[in-house]
């Protein structure tokens, strides 16, 4: 973290097959042993008043724009709603241009990070093609999009905008922006640009790292959203997995999105993991902060065929998502040293 000059970060490691939390790391942190024998008042005050907020559990209480990590959900929603087929192509010239609804001479430009050319859904996920997601999210020219109501519906299926119910205090809801919300809280109308921004995880949308990790687990395990649980035992009783949602996506559509996430690692935005000994699938995100540097995200799972671990990393103002991929690679390396595959 010093080399990257990162002041705050989160990593979550969980078991996608039951929602069990393997590890949550918040940086900066504090020594929990201080509380074991009774912490001195001045030490406690120092922790509480530290501007770096070492006692803040960013993993469950931090709310951040998701950046492109939202794209697997938008992709699977578009497949479910038959907005797009796996073989349909969308052309990215590097931007789309939309005339104002009130003045056709005013043109709004929504940019991609480069011109990608003809793109299908797997490439769109792998290379994080904004124009593709603008198109399937909000619609463009003669192609219909999901629209914000359907986007909200599917995000709610993944429990975005809602507390998951982890057995720790301080969990927050995140936020799914909607026309009603925008009118109530900003006093403004909803525009197509708001839908485009939401479709790529920018604008007002907020997600907790925990929500993103559990969403990733849905793609890892074939469609089950588990309750995240830290406790393995309560007394002598083993804690049983609890399912929050299931059977809300077809296995075929999950498979297509998984293939896009695998390609992201093999040739796309997460290719720093391409040489990892176990096959990894994942998605990067670069989330605008309004400050000089963006947040850096990576979320993924391994092994690809029979996933046993999900890793989600957020570097606050980490600038480039590639840095988050590198952190995830180190975490995965350590995990598979401890739990090697047969």
């Amino acid at each position: 973290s010093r080399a990257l000059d990162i002041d705050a970060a989160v990593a979550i490691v969980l078991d996608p097959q039951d929602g069990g939390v393997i590890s949550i790391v918040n940086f900066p942190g504090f020594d929990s042993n201080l509380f074991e024998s009774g912490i001195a008042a001045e030490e406690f005050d120092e922790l509480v008043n530290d501007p770096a907020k070492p006692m803040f559990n960013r993993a469950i209480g931090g709310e951040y724009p998701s950046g492109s990590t939202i794209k697997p959900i938008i992709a699977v929603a578009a497949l479910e709603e038959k907005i797009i087929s796996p073989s349909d192509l969308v052309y990215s010239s590097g931007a789309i241009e939309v005339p104002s609804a009130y003045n056709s001479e005013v043109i709004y430009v929504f940019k991609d990070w480069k011109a990608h050319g003809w793109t299908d859904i797997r490439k769109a996920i792998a290379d994080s093609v904004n124009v593709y997601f603008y198109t399937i999210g909000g619609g463009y020219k003669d192609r219909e999009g999901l629209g914000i109501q359907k986007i909200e519906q599917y995000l709610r299926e993944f429990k975005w905008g809602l507390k998951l119910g982890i057995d720790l205090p301080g969990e927050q809801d995140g936020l799914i922006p909607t026309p009603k919300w925008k009118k109530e809280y900003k006093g403004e109308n909803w525009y197509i640009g708001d839908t485009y921004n939401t479709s790529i995880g920018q604008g007002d949308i907020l997600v907790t790292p925990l929500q993103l990790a559990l969403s990733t687990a849905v793609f890892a395990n074939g469609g089950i959203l588990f309750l995240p649980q830290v406790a393995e035992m309560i007394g002598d009783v083993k804690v049983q997995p609890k399912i929050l949602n299931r059977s809300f996506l077809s296995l075929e559509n999950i498979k297509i999105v998984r293939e896009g996430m695998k390609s992201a690692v093999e040739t796309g935005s997460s290719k720093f993991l391409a040489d990892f000994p176990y096959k990894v699938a994942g998605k990067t995100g670069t989330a605008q902060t309004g400050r000089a540097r963006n947040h850096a995200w990576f979320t993924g799972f391994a092994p690809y065929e029979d996933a046993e671990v999900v890793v989600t990393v957020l570097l606050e103002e980490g600038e480039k998502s590639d840095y988050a991929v590198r952190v995830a690679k180190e975490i995965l390396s350590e995990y598979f040293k401890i739990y090697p595959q047969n």
Side-chain angles (χ1 to χ4, degrees):
S1 61
R2 281 196 203 95
L4 293 175
D5 192 25
I6 301 296
D7 294 324
V10 174
I12 299 176
V13 184
L14 57 83
D15 184 340
Q17 304 302 335
D18 63 9
V21 175
I22 298 166
S23 181
I24 289 177
V25 178
N26 288 281
F27 174 80
F30 63 94
D31 182 3
S32 57
N33 292 320
L34 291 171
F35 291 86
E36 187 70 27
S37 54
I39 187 169
E42 55 270 23
E43 285 182 307
F44 183 72
D45 288 343
E46 198 175 309
L47 281 174
V48 169
N49 296 316
D50 187 333
K53 299 183 177 177
M55 293 183 69
F56 177 43
N57 191 342
R58 291 169 166 81
I60 67 171
E63 298 170 294
Y64 306 91
S66 67
S68 293
T69 61
I70 198 175
K71 288 174 179 174
I73 298 178
I74 302 299
V76 82
L79 290 168
E80 290 286 323
E81 294 296 317
K82 297 185 169 46
I83 294 292
I84 201 106
S85 79
S87 59
D88 284 347
L89 298 175
V90 171
Y91 189 77
S92 166
S93 63
I96 59 172
E97 296 182 347
V98 181
S100 165
Y102 304 103
N103 181 353
S104 60
E105 292 181 7
V106 176
I107 305 293
Y108 295 104
V109 178
F110 297 90
K111 292 183 178 179
D112 213 326
W113 62 275
K114 73 171 190 177
H116 297 271
W118 289 108
T119 302
D120 67 8
I121 197 160
R122 293 174 180 89
K123 178 182 174 182
I125 295 167
D127 293 346
S128 211
V129 181
N130 284 346
V131 164
Y132 188 95
F133 288 94
Y134 295 146
T135 304
I136 66 170
Y140 184 58
K141 292 187 175 175
D142 58 351
R143 189 179 284 281
E144 181 189 0
L146 284 161
I148 193 59
Q149 287 179 311
K150 285 289 183 188
I151 291 172
E152 181 192 13
Q153 175 190 321
Y154 279 90
L155 289 172
R156 295 272 185 224
E157 293 278 12
F158 283 86
K159 306 303 181 192
W160 286 34
L162 301 163
K163 292 182 179 70
L164 289 161
I166 191 172
D167 47 344
L168 290 172
E171 186 183 4
Q172 294 301 312
D173 299 72
L175 172 68
I176 303 173
T178 62
K180 181 171 182 253
W181 172 86
K182 192 180 180 194
K183 181 60 84 173
E184 282 182 9
Y185 287 89
K186 291 190 161 185
E188 297 171 4
N189 292 328
W190 187 268
Y191 300 108
I192 186 66
D194 295 309
T195 306
Y196 288 154
N197 280 331
T198 305
S199 300
I200 63 164
Q202 305 290 1
D204 294 308
I205 192 159
L206 297 172
V207 65
T208 67
L210 181 70
Q211 288 167 334
L212 182 57
L214 267 294
S215 297
T216 305
V218 171
F219 295 106
N221 66 35
I224 301 173
L225 183 73
F226 283 102
L227 173 74
Q229 298 184 96
V230 176
E232 287 187 74
M233 304 282 291
I234 298 178
D236 297 329
V237 180
K238 184 168 173 54
V239 172
Q240 296 301 311
K242 294 188 179 70
I243 293 172
L244 297 176
N245 203 2
R246 71 186 309 169
S247 304
F248 61 102
L249 302 169
S250 79
L251 288 173
E252 179 56 32
N253 290 337
I254 291 170
K255 178 174 176 286
I256 291 160
V257 172
R258 280 170 55 90
E259 288 166 359
M261 295 173 77
K262 177 162 69 78
S263 293
V265 171
E266 290 171 343
T267 61
S269 60
S270 307
K271 61 180 178 287
F272 189 74
L273 275 161
D275 64 350
F276 195 72
Y278 304 106
K279 197 169 281 187
V280 184
K283 185 73 196 76
T284 54
T286 307
Q288 293 172 1
T289 61
R291 294 184 289 279
R293 300 197 314 192
N294 297 324
H295 295 323
W297 283 104
F298 172 79
T299 190
F301 58 89
Y304 177 71
E305 297 297 346
D306 188 15
E308 63 176 68
V309 62
V310 164
V311 175
T312 299
V313 174
L314 168 71
L315 307 180
E316 287 191 17
E317 299 188 37
E319 195 168 353
K320 295 197 302 186
S321 60
D322 186 54
Y323 295 146
V325 179
R326 289 164 189 262
V327 172
K329 187 176 188 179
E330 289 190 31
I331 293 169
L332 286 166
S333 296
E334 291 303 313
Y335 175 88
F336 285 110
K337 277 184 200 168
I338 300 167
Y339 306 107
Q341 296 286 287
N342 295 326

